[in-house]
Amino acid sequence: MADSLLKTNKATIRFGGLVAVNEMNLDVQRGQLFGLIGPNGAGKTTIFNLLTGVYQPTSGDISVDGVDIRGKLPCEISALGVSRTFQNIRLFADMTVLENVKTACHLRSKQSILDAVFRTKKHQQDEQEQETFALELLEIFKLDHLKHEKSTSLPYGSQRRLEIARALATRPKLLLLDEPAAGMNPQESVDLMKLIGWIRDRFELTILLVEHNMKVVMGICERIQVVEYGQTIAVGTPHEIKTDKRVIEAYLGSA
Amino acid sequence: MPPLVKKLLWSLGTVGILLVVNQVMVNGIGGYGIPAQDYYVRVLTLVGISIIAAVSLNLINGYTGQFSIGHAGFMAVGGYTAAYISFYYGAGILNTLQGLPLPVALTIRLFISLLIGVVFSALAGFVVGMPSLRLKGDYLAIVTLGFGEIIRIIILSIDSVGGARGFSSIVQGATEPPDQRMFEFLKESIFFWVFLFAVITVVIVKNLVNSTFGRALTSIRENEIAAEAMGINTTRYKVIAFVISAGLAGLAGGLFAHYDNYLNTNSFTFVKSVEVIIMIVLGGMGSITGAILGATVLTILPELLRDLQQYRMVIYSLLLIVIMIVRPQGILGRRELSLSGLFGKKKTV
Amino acid sequence: MLQTFIQQIINGLALGSIYALIALGYTMVYGVLRLINFAHGDVYMIGAFVGYYAAQKFGIASASGQISFGGALILMMTAMMASASLGVVIERFAYRPVRKYPRLTSLITAIGVSLLLENGGQVLFGADPKFFPILNSAVTYTFGSVTVRLTDIIIVVVSVSLMVLLQTIVLKTKLGKAMRAVSYNLDAAKLMGINTDFIIAFTFALGSALAAAAGILVSLSFPKIDPLIGVLTGLKAFVAAVLGGIGNITGAVLGGFLIGIAETMAAGYLPQSLNSYKDAVAFAILILVLLFKPAGLMGSVAPEKV
Ligand SMILES: Nc1ncnc2c1ncn2[C@@H]1O[C@H](COP(=O)(O)OP(=O)(O)OP(=O)(O)O)[C@@H](O)[C@H]1O
Ligand SMILES: [Mg+2]
């Protein structure tokens, strides 16, 4: 068998009577760029919330790199190497662009509180490293010239890119992107998708991508899973998906 | 200059300046006809204590964005613990330190009392924070209020710290005849100690918030879910902030106990907590200089309003309402005042 | 033993109905505005003082400071109307201007209003206690060693009637329906054409009137009143509201009775030396309940959608 980084086995979550995710099996290989698509309300964001510990599954297993993550806190899962962006942008509003990214560097920070209180050498080195890494990430996303702007003063598309930069600052193995191109114009989304492919190689990531725009996903994903009403209706290569009858019915019919 | 030397020079300089100011304020300058400033010593000492209380509360309410209304409870724990040590063990400590020059022995004794006070209030902060910080917003506010009241009621029922009568002759202790040495020592130096600890508090909080920990705390305030997703253990950091904040509140309480030489639970009601909140709200939540400004204004204001004693609290409360309506972010908002830029500009956190 | 128990239950019911009456105001305001109206306990105090001054103005009380049942009723009506107006004024001039700001701002404003009423009260009424007129028909019934005061019975009967009245208003009238709509979703209610400002003001009026009624009932039973009587009573009533699940009317009543009974039990059973702890009981119960049921006994929290 190939090398799975993320695996769910019949992951299910109910909200009262609604089964938002129903016996979902996901298998994402290390290094893959994996697309998750489906119509509105299909349960894509809910899957992300299950994978990151925001919600706990009602039943089923979820493991990342062989580690069972059920019952773990979001921050613990993040420490295991899972990072994400949010569909409804969640930046640290009153902080600058640079601070947003530096905040996420905290996870791999080496100083202790006492280092900070006494401003030790370790503290200064660590702060310096955070700054350097954060600036490097901002540069990749062409946000470095905006580093001292308040994060929420950025245009929508830049805010989405900033969220990705922030997610990368935790040095993840698995990156979950929830509709990163939403609200961008076609040119911007094409550029973004190219960039996503590039960072995957640059940071040796595995990426799980939720995206509405079929064309975009088909263009860059190696494997795609289609969900509807919380259930998988197809998994396969872009080519297989494109020709799947149920997908055409369900997804293209409603999108 | 190597950083360590620089730090040392700064520290010595600060201590030196404070000592000189203390000397001038308390004793005046004989030859030049500058009299002692007893009145200002009193007011400024209270300002210093308020600064410690406000800056420490700001760590949790301003930076971490968790609304606690129980600060007075922690001040009470620190104050009463420090007072207890001074009263019951002060003589013993001085005996143990017999060989040392008296001022040194008294200083050590003061430090021990304050330190134990800080440890206990920090512990109280942990015990209170651990369960309650899971709650959000209003619920947290009300639980901290409840804990604050419970702490006060418990202290009220402890007879060895005076109960409802209050705790008096704290620094003289239980010996017969009362030992006046600490009292005389503090009369000469409490102004210095209070400001030394105020500076230390400000430096601790400033260094914390301007570090990766400060950003972690602020991210909890800004977006808790995103903070968690970025690997920040929000519960842990809330508790840490709460413990530090409570510990420093205990320092303020301990200094107050040694300054006033008398404690009464009536000074640590919910109203006291609100007073500290008003200080940081007025100055600007999430700004250290704002907290200092708020603490200073709201400690001096009642002195200015002395003739209007009766109306003091009425004016206070009206002020609070008007600030909320007109400028809810406080005078400075989240900006910091700095000497370099008289017009405060937001420093990178 | 059993008799002490029954005695404390009876005392607890009387105290509990007071807490419940006040808790209703907290819970209703929280329902429509998500605001802890810290000043509510002080509105209760103002109610008692309005009654006190009305008794003097109207010459209802006899020279020895006694009033008839009808007289008390008039005082209560007056106090309820005065407090209702006060509630509306507070909402209009303090809370409405800060409604658009973050919720913390309203909370601090509410603390400000509370301090204003307490300290304004001390300036206006004087800090020393006043003595409320006593019911001339104030009698006690004794069953074995259990004593029941007429005032306790009046407290329970009047409170429960008011609660039933409130429930009827909330469930059966158009205004009540609008209140529920605003509680459910203020913005949606506004879009549906409900005059939300009016409904919010009406909610304050209702809650404040109930608090004033509680103020009169308590004063008839414990005639010593001062400008700070609202602080602790208000806090405990608020605790009762949170305990029941704030925003939930039935919860507030349940919480009120629970706190009342727990407190009288503590007063009855704790040794004399620990009696000061009876004031801590309400907070201790609250903390315990919140730790296990973070939304209170009858409330529910929806997890935040991510
Ligand atoms: N916390 C929650 N409580 C109740 N229902 C929820 C919750 N979170 C999600 N749901 C429901 O689960 C279903 C799936 O929602 P989800 O947000 O995962 O869809 P999605 O595929 O991301 O849709 P979109 O393309 O619109 O983002 C929806 O019906 C939603 O209303
Ligand atoms: Mg979604």
Side-chain angles (χ1 to χ4, degrees):
Chain A
M1 239 335 257
D3 182 15
S4 296
L5 182 67
L6 168 70
K7 235 179 139 98
T8 71
N9 180 22
K10 297 195 174 170
T12 303
I13 184 169
R14 296 167 193 277
F15 297 111
L18 175 82
V19 188
V21 176
N22 195 357
E23 307 213 330
M24 179 71 57
N25 293 323
L26 262 175
D27 190 346
V28 182
Q29 304 296 301
R30 198 180 299 276
Q32 224 169 26
L33 215 168
F34 193 106
L36 190 61
I37 60 175
N40 283 111
K44 306 176 297 286
T45 300
T46 308
I47 294 173
F48 272 26
N49 287 334
L50 287 174
L51 298 180
T52 51
V54 177
Y55 298 150
Q56 288 301 325
T58 316
S59 63
D61 304 323
I62 305 171
S63 63
V64 174
D65 218 355
V67 181
D68 183 0
I69 61 157
R70 280 173 311 165
K72 286 205 181 344
L73 292 172
C75 60
E76 293 168 329
I77 295 172
S78 170
L80 285 174
V82 181
S83 198
R84 71 177 288 183
T85 65
F86 295 90
Q87 182 176 2
N88 49 344
I89 300 175
R90 286 178 174 272
L91 287 168
F92 303 128
D94 203 53
M95 297 165 98
T96 66
V97 168
L98 179 61
E99 284 163 3
N100 263 274
V101 181
K102 276 163 86 176
T103 301
C105 295
H106 181 76
L107 179 61
R108 312 286 175 205
S109 155
K110 291 178 214 87
Q111 58 179 313
S112 73
I113 286 205
L114 288 180
D115 285 319
V117 169
F118 293 107
R119 310 221 142 218
T120 60
K121 206 166 197 155
K122 204 161 163 197
H123 157 81
Q124 277 157 7
Q125 266 168 7
D126 187 55
E127 295 286 326
Q128 193 55 52
E129 277 167 29
Q130 289 196 8
E131 176 114 1
T132 315
F133 186 46
L135 285 173
E136 185 188 327
L137 289 171
L138 286 179
E139 219 173 289
I140 292 175
F141 289 90
K142 301 204 170 53
L143 292 166
D144 46 332
H145 61 292
L146 298 168
K147 63 185 176 193
H148 291 312
E149 298 295 317
K150 209 171 132 169
S151 64
T152 40
S153 70
L154 263 49
Y156 202 65
S158 307
Q159 291 194 19
R160 289 215 174 276
R161 294 208 311 274
L162 176 56
E163 271 219 341
I164 305 177
R166 184 180 68 176
L168 286 173
T170 64
R171 301 183 191 264
K173 298 182 237 179
L174 174 63
L175 180 61
L176 313 178
L177 301 174
D178 200 346
E179 306 204 12
M184 293 187 178
N185 66 38
Q187 184 55 46
E188 278 178 325
S189 1
V190 170
D191 290 347
L192 181 69
M193 289 306 146
K194 269 191 210 146
L195 188 57
I196 287 174
W198 185 82
I199 56 169
R200 190 249 317 242
D201 301 335
R202 164 76 174 72
F203 295 101
E204 297 173 7
L205 294 171
T206 307
I207 294 181
L208 183 57
L209 175 73
V210 164
E211 187 49 67
H212 253 328
N213 189 331
M214 263 286 217
K215 262 209 309 239
V216 167
V217 189
M218 295 291 173
I220 68 163
C221 291
E222 283 123 24
R223 202 172 168 78
I224 291 172
Q225 185 151 342
V226 187
V227 291
E228 189 189 21
Y229 298 120
Q231 267 163 327
T232 306
I233 56 175
V235 203
T237 61
H239 181 74
E240 288 163 359
I241 296 296
K242 229 179 286 186
T243 50
D244 188 292
K245 250 177 63 200
R246 284 184 66 192
V247 175
I248 295 168
E249 252 170 52
Y251 192 75
L252 297 184
S254 71
Chain B
M1 220 183 321
L4 200 66
V5 176
K6 204 170 146 187
K7 253 185 245 177
L8 212 67
L9 281 181
W10 265 107
S11 317
L12 284 178
T14 310
V15 171
I17 290 174
L18 285 179
L19 275 174
V20 170
V21 173
N22 180 73
Q23 193 59 24
V24 173
M25 297 284 290
V26 176
N27 297 321
I29 307 176
Y32 296 86
I34 297 179
Q37 307 284 335
D38 291 344
Y39 176 69
Y40 291 103
V41 168
R42 194 174 65 73
V43 176
L44 287 178
T45 306
L46 291 175
V47 167
I49 294 173
S50 299
I51 288 177
I52 300 178
V55 170
S56 59
L57 181 66
N58 210 2
L59 191 61
I60 189 84
N61 284 28
Y63 288 97
T64 318
Q66 309 298 304
F67 199 69
S68 158
I69 345 186
H71 213 51
F74 300 116
M75 294 172 73
V77 172
Y80 272 91
T81 311
Y84 185 88
I85 301 294
S86 247
F87 188 83
Y88 289 103
Y89 297 101
I93 296 173
L94 282 186
N95 269 339
T96 322
L97 300 172
Q98 218 145 39
L100 295 172
L102 187 62
V104 177
L106 288 170
T107 302
I108 296 177
R109 186 190 129 174
L110 175 68
F111 277 33
I112 293 177
S113 299
L114 291 176
L115 183 70
I116 298 180
V118 168
V119 169
F120 271 72
S121 55
L123 264 177
F126 182 75
V127 171
V128 172
M130 207 48 193
S132 47
L133 285 165
R134 289 188 320 174
L135 301 169
K136 296 210 162 47
D138 303 340
Y139 286 95
L140 176 66
I142 228 58
V143 166
T144 50
L145 190 162
F147 268 120
E149 284 296 300
I150 290 179
I151 287 174
R152 193 176 64 82
I153 292 169
I154 291 176
I155 293 176
L156 194 60
S157 71
I158 302 177
D159 212 45
S160 60
V161 293
R165 281 170 287 123
F167 198 172
S168 43
S169 306
I170 291 168
V171 300
Q172 283 95 345
T175 52
E176 222 18 270
D179 181 351
Q180 295 294 344
R181 287 175 297 173
M182 187 65 160
F183 184 74
E184 296 299 331
F185 174 70
L186 287 178
K187 218 166 82 183
E188 295 281 314
S189 64
I190 188 76
F191 176 88
F192 167 75
W193 294 122
V194 165
F195 272 87
L196 182 69
F197 282 113
V199 170
I200 292 176
T201 302
V202 169
V203 170
I204 291 178
V205 173
K206 177 177 149 290
N207 286 355
L208 264 182
V209 300
N210 288 328
S211 76
T212 187
F213 297 98
R215 288 189 292 274
L217 297 183
T218 312
S219 73
I220 298 175
R221 175 188 79 196
E222 292 299 321
N223 197 319
E224 197 166 337
I225 288 173
E228 269 283 332
M230 294 307 121
I232 288 157
N233 188 335
T234 53
T235 312
R236 179 159 170 260
Y237 279 115
K238 281 190 227 169
V239 172
I240 290 176
F242 207 72
V243 167
I244 298 175
S245 166
L248 292 172
L251 177 63
L255 285 166
F256 182 74
H258 282 81
Y259 155 74
D260 211 26
N261 205 16
Y262 173 75
L263 287 179
N264 191 305
T265 50
N266 288 340
S267 328
F268 300 104
T269 57
F270 152 71
V271 176
K272 180 72 198 177
S273 299
V274 171
E275 236 177 82
V276 186
I277 288 174
I278 300 177
M279 290 174 189
I280 58 175
V281 166
L282 175 73
M285 290 224 268
S287 160
I288 294 175
T289 37
I292 296 174
L293 185 71
T296 311
V297 170
L298 286 183
T299 313
I300 293 182
L301 196 65
E303 295 296 328
L304 298 181
L305 298 177
R306 255 190 130 58
D307 299 337
L308 303 170
Q309 194 59 10
Q310 217 193 348
Y311 299 99
R312 196 190 99 198
M313 284 305 288
V314 177
I315 296 174
Y316 255 45
S317 38
L318 271 175
L319 187 69
L320 186 62
I321 300 171
V322 172
I323 297 173
M324 283 301 105
I325 295 176
V326 183
R327 198 174 160 80
Q329 72 274 40
I331 297 174
L332 293 182
R334 282 170 187 161
R335 291 171 310 170
E336 295 291 354
L337 270 185
S338 63
L339 286 177
S340 45
L342 198 60
F343 298 96
K345 103 183 199 311
K346 192 179 188 301
K347 288 212 330 207
T348 30
V349 182
Chain C
M1 207 52 219
L2 182 67
Q3 276 166 338
T4 328
F5 184 77
I6 295 174
Q7 181 72 61
Q8 297 312 336
I9 289 278
I10 291 169
N11 296 351
L13 283 177
L15 187 61
S17 33
I18 296 298
Y19 289 151
L21 272 187
I22 307 173
L24 283 168
Y26 279 112
T27 232
M28 288 192 294
V29 165
Y30 193 89
V32 293
L33 280 187
R34 301 289 177 270
L35 164 73
I36 297 179
N37 181 12
F38 258 100
H40 191 60
D42 305 299
V43 171
Y44 150 91
M45 174 275 291
I46 298 283
F49 270 94
V50 169
Y52 170 80
Y53 285 110
Q56 295 192 333
K57 259 256 147 19
F58 302 163
I60 294 178
S62 73
S64 58
Q66 295 204 328
I67 49 169
S68 65
F69 191 77
L73 207 61
I74 296 176
L75 294 188
M76 187 146 109
M77 293 296 175
T78 317
M80 285 172 80
M81 279 191 289
S83 284
S85 324
L86 177 67
V88 172
V89 168
I90 292 173
E91 191 276 322
R92 177 65 191 81
F93 292 102
Y95 298 156
R96 199 179 299 176
V98 297
R99 219 189 278 163
K100 55 184 179 290
Y101 298 138
R103 278 174 51 201
L104 189 53
T105 310
S106 326
L107 185 67
I108 298 171
T109 310
I111 293 175
V113 174
S114 164
L115 291 176
L116 181 63
L117 291 179
E118 284 157 23
N119 294 292
Q122 298 200 351
V123 172
L124 231 55
F125 313 137
D128 44 316
K130 304 272 181 297
F131 288 89
F132 205 81
I134 300 169
L135 271 185
N136 54 15
S137 51
V139 280
T140 2
Y141 306 101
T142 320
F143 309 96
S145 67
V146 176
T147 56
V148 182
R149 301 190 305 165
L150 178 66
T151 46
D152 286 345
I153 298 177
I154 293 177
I155 286 179
V156 175
V157 171
V158 174
S159 307
V160 171
S161 321
L162 285 172
M163 289 172 210
V164 171
L165 181 67
L166 176 76
Q167 190 73 352
T168 317
I169 293 177
V170 171
L171 291 181
K172 298 278 158 66
T173 67
K174 226 173 144 176
L175 270 174
K177 209 178 215 171
M179 270 173 73
R180 281 182 288 148
V182 173
S183 283
Y184 191 71
N185 188 331
L186 191 135
D187 292 323
K190 196 181 270 171
L191 289 176
M192 304 313 288
I194 293 175
N195 182 347
T196 48
D197 279 348
F198 175 75
I199 294 298
I200 290 169
F202 177 71
T203 308
F204 271 85
L206 265 187
S208 307
L210 292 181
I216 299 296
L217 290 172
V218 171
S219 306
L220 286 173
S221 185
F222 303 96
K224 199 170 136 187
I225 59 173
D226 68 64
L228 296 182
I229 51 169
V231 180
L232 203 56
T233 310
L235 266 181
K236 288 181 192 160
F238 171 66
V239 163
V242 179
L243 182 67
I246 193 150
N248 183 313
I249 288 187
T250 326
V253 174
L254 176 73
F257 281 111
L258 273 178
I259 296 280
I261 291 173
E263 193 177 318
T264 49
M265 285 293 167
Y269 286 100
L270 282 179
Q272 195 60 39
S273 60
L274 295 181
N275 216 292
S276 57
Y277 284 111
K278 87 179 197 323
D279 285 333
V281 167
F283 296 111
I285 295 180
L286 172 78
I287 291 166
L288 277 179
V289 169
L290 285 189
L291 295 183
F292 294 103
K293 268 188 88 54
L297 293 173
M298 306 192 68
S300 60
V301 266
E304 191 178 350
K305 262 197 183 180
V306 178

